[in-house]
Amino acid sequence: MIFAAGSILWRELKPFEVEVALVHRPKYDDWTFPKGKYEIGESAQLAAYRETKEETGADSIFGPYLGKVKYGQGIEVKRVDYWSAK
């Protein structure tokens, strides 16, 4: 299993209107929430913060844990833990 972490990065534009950040991955020609694999000795939340900063440039404030997503098959199963970030 591959372990990764990321965030749902958002900002409030005005009351009841938010904007969510997505990252374009040209290699896969898709859009995704900022995420990436853990580095050695790194916690899931620290990996999520680092990846969010690297991929968006945002110095975000992390909020609650949102849960995990699993996808793939066999040894290529990837688990991604997500946090809310503002």
Side-chain angles (χ1 to χ4, degrees):
M1 184 173 298
I2 300 165
F3 292 93
S7 71
I8 310 301
L9 179 62
W10 64 279
R11 65 181 174 186
E12 188 172 21
L13 299 176
K14 54 186 171 182
F16 307 107
E17 186 175 320
V18 298
E19 189 172 64
V20 177
L22 295 174
V23 176
H24 183 246
R25 301 185 307 172
K27 178 179 177 180
Y28 301 105
D29 192 27
D30 69 357
W31 293 85
T32 185
F33 295 114
K35 66 180 182 308
K37 298 176 194 170
Y38 301 3
E39 290 184 354
I40 295 171
E42 192 173 45
S43 70
Q45 191 172 23
L46 185 57
Y49 179 83
R50 178 184 51 77
E51 288 290 341
T52 300
K53 177 79 171 170
E54 286 176 4
E55 295 184 359
T56 68
D59 195 14
S60 54
I61 298 169
F62 269 50
Y65 176 71
L66 299 174
K68 65 182 177 263
V69 174
K70 288 184 185 178
Y71 57 91
Q73 294 180 358
I75 61 170
E76 293 298 316
V77 171
K78 189 175 215 177
R79 174 186 152 166
V80 185
D81 291 283
Y82 284 101
W83 280 264
S84 173
K86 187 173 179 184

